[in-house]
Amino acid sequence: MRDEETGQSRGEPEALSAAELFDDLGPAYEDAFGRLPEQAAAIDWLAERLGPGARVLDVGSGTGRPVADRLVRAGCEVTGIDVSGTMVELARTRVPGASFEQADVRTYQAPEGAFDAVCAFFPLLMMSRAEAGAALERMAGWLAPGGYLVSATVPADVEGVRIEWMGRGVEVSSFSAPEYLRRLREECGLRVLHHEISRFRPEGDLAEPEEHLFCYARRPEDAHGGARAS
């Protein structure tokens, strides 16, 4: 039976928010998803194109590993944002060379062109598609001319679907791969340099194998100068 006011099945717990989910998961998320080969390749690809002191924003920074950690070691100035206070505290301990704050990409404030690169590995899946599309546009606007957006998502044409993930009930939305790429090109004004779909089996038995879309994109140069990226 469903509750007339909430629309949920009676007795079915409410889906966790992203902050609640990752506060609960803590280090278990890094244990399961901290060794994605395609993510490591994306970080290395980005680091090769950024000069010393390049400003990088890591959206959905989690425990700080591997993204912020690898980029700090490459000489970048990294700022990480995450909705989970638990994740932020873990990241500050694990990666003291970066700066982390509890913030939501939907409301985070940064000047236009503030970053030479933005990393966004799976931070949009627990938003509506309207919110996720707007977040992509915001991140593109934070790129300096010539800056890079390196991102990943789970490609699927879904909106507000309730699933169990890592033993918790969550509600997810996403774009198909063609739609995600279209939005980067047409809505965000970025040039897509590379994209690939892979399949990953998380460590342990808390999560099922997932299909991932990794994408490297760049904001075009303009007449007002360029990023500290080459």
Side-chain angles (χ1 to χ4, degrees):
M1 296 179 64
R2 300 185 70 82
D3 187 283
E4 293 182 0
E5 292 185 2
T6 66
Q8 285 192 315
S9 298
R10 293 179 183 174
E12 179 183 359
E14 291 187 6
L16 297 176
S17 69
E20 291 169 333
L21 172 66
F22 288 100
D23 280 346
D24 190 31
L25 285 174
Y29 178 74
E30 182 185 332
D31 293 341
F33 287 91
R35 288 172 288 279
L36 279 72
E38 293 80 11
Q39 185 180 44
I43 301 166
D44 290 345
W45 180 91
L46 180 62
E48 289 172 359
R49 285 157 179 80
L50 297 176
R55 305 154 298 173
V56 182
L57 178 67
D58 183 11
V59 177
S61 48
T63 66
R65 299 192 304 210
V67 181
D69 184 45
R70 293 173 80 114
L71 290 172
V72 166
R73 292 175 188 274
C76 299
E77 296 179 5
V78 181
T79 300
I81 61 171
D82 201 289
V83 294
S84 165
T86 295
M87 289 297 193
V88 169
E89 291 305 314
L90 286 168
R92 287 171 176 166
T93 300
R94 283 163 159 72
V95 192
S99 174
F100 297 95
E101 60 181 284
Q102 187 175 359
D104 190 319
V105 67
R106 293 170 291 187
T107 55
Y108 179 70
Q109 297 296 315
E112 182 174 356
F115 297 99
D116 300 313
V118 174
C119 295
F121 295 109
F122 310 104
L124 308 178
L125 294 166
M126 293 179 67
M127 303 178 188
S128 70
R129 287 200 283 200
E131 291 172 327
L136 283 173
E137 292 181 48
R138 286 169 61 80
M139 289 188 285
W142 296 332
L143 292 173
Y148 297 95
L149 174 64
V150 180
S151 64
T153 189
V154 176
D157 185 12
V158 295
E159 173 82 35
V161 174
R162 175 71 180 264
I163 66 170
E164 183 175 299
W165 185 78
M166 295 193 73
R168 284 84 169 168
V170 297
E171 188 174 287
V172 298
S173 301
S174 191
F175 302 112
S176 67
E179 176 62 11
Y180 187 84
L181 297 172
R182 185 197 70 78
R183 286 176 175 268
L184 291 179
R185 294 183 178 113
E186 298 180 15
E187 308 298 333
C188 299
L190 303 180
R191 184 161 63 94
V192 175
L193 306 176
H194 169 79
H195 62 89
E196 65 176 304
I197 292 178
S198 58
R199 190 166 180 80
F200 178 73
R201 179 178 291 278
E203 299 286 342
D205 57 3
L206 285 178
E208 297 295 321
E210 294 181 350
E211 192 172 75
H212 293 160
L213 170 65
F214 281 84
C215 185
Y216 311 167
R218 192 178 193 189
R219 179 177 176 178
E221 299 279 359
D222 67 16
H224 301 293
R228 282 178 283 176
S230 59

